[in-house]
Amino acid sequence: MLEPTKLNFDKFVLVHFIIPLLLFVLVLAVLGYFHVDLWIARHFYNAGLHQWPHKESWLTENVLHVGGRYFTYLLAAAVALCWLISLRADSVFFRYRRHLLFLLISGISGPLIIVLLKNHTHIYCPWSLELFGGDKPYVRLFDYAGGNLEVGHCFPAAHAGAGFTFLNLYFF
């Protein structure tokens, strides 16, 4: 007979919080302060034509942008339905009701936090930047943007936020 596994809380916090947080800060510093984000953006910008060739293509707009959003909504609805079914004592999901509630709450709270952050950051989409033919200045994440700049609505990326929602499945 299998014995129940005991959770080593200190190790769990180290592996699932402290190390990822330190890696996040390191990656954020490298991307922001060494302008890796601009280097990546230049690969998607056609300087000769002054345009973003893939910005409105069928694949990026319909499949990745709209399709990704609907897939995330569909997954959230499926988890909500499974949780509602789990409330019945005779349900096959009954023993997973707390886990499904965790999955539902964490899956909804992540995108909500992303929306809140998008409404308060001064990071602009690459096509809005002066560097790429737009009218907005390039401002790094933790730089002072001044009081006259409007909110950028481009950071954090909603698709990355939706991707992080799927990380909840790991903990589920």
Side-chain angles (χ1 to χ4, degrees), residues 56-75:
E56 296 175 1
S57 73
W58 177 82
L59 176 66
T60 57
E61 183 62 27
N62 296 332
V63 176
L64 299 177
H65 190 80
V66 176
R69 182 181 332 137
Y70 288 149
F71 178 71
T72 304
Y73 294 161
L74 180 66
L75 183 64

Side-chain angles (χ1 to χ4, degrees), residues 22-37 138 140-142:
L22 292 174
L23 287 173
F24 171 74
V25 169
L26 177 67
V27 168
L28 189 65
V30 168
L31 291 177
Y33 291 98
F34 293 106
H35 302 292
V36 176
D37 54 342
Y138 173 72
R140 294 181 300 193
L141 182 60
F142 295 112

Side-chain angles (χ1 to χ4, degrees), residues 83-95 97:
W83 177 70
L84 287 172
I85 292 170
S86 77
L87 296 177
R88 293 182 45 139
D90 62 343
S91 166
V92 295
F93 298 125
F94 182 75
R95 62 187 261 195
R97 66 189 179 284

Side-chain angles (χ1 to χ4, degrees), residues 25-170:
V25 169
L26 177 67
V27 168
L28 189 65
V30 168
L31 291 177
Y33 291 98
F34 293 106
H35 302 292
V36 176
D37 54 342
L38 294 177
W39 179 79
I40 292 170
R42 283 187 183 100
H43 287 82
F44 293 94
Y45 180 67
N46 186 328
L49 298 175
H50 302 291
Q51 68 180 8
W52 297 87
H54 306 292
K55 183 180 174 201
E56 296 175 1
S57 73
W58 177 82
L59 176 66
T60 57
E61 183 62 27
N62 296 332
V63 176
L64 299 177
H65 190 80
V66 176
R69 182 181 332 137
Y70 288 149
F71 178 71
T72 304
Y73 294 161
L74 180 66
L75 183 64
V79 170
L81 182 63
C82 288
W83 177 70
L84 287 172
I85 292 170
S86 77
L87 296 177
R88 293 182 45 139
D90 62 343
S91 166
V92 295
F93 298 125
F94 182 75
R95 62 187 261 195
Y96 302 108
R97 66 189 179 284
R98 288 179 47 212
H99 299 86
L100 287 165
L101 182 61
F102 160 79
L103 195 60
L104 182 62
I105 291 172
S106 60
I108 291 172
S109 63
L112 286 177
I113 292 169
I114 297 290
V115 168
L116 290 172
L117 289 173
K118 284 174 94 62
N119 289 324
H120 295 292
T121 59
H122 56 271
I123 305 297
Y124 299 101
C125 296
W127 46 86
S128 299
L129 297 177
E130 293 169 343
L131 298 166
F132 301 114
D135 61 347
K136 305 294 183 203
Y138 173 72
V139 182
R140 294 181 300 193
L141 182 60
F142 295 112
D143 286 347
Y144 177 68
N148 58 349
L149 286 179
E150 58 192 46
V151 174
H153 295 288
C154 215
F155 180 83
H159 285 84
F164 286 126
T165 297
F166 295 108
L167 287 177
N168 300 333
L169 296 171
Y170 168 80

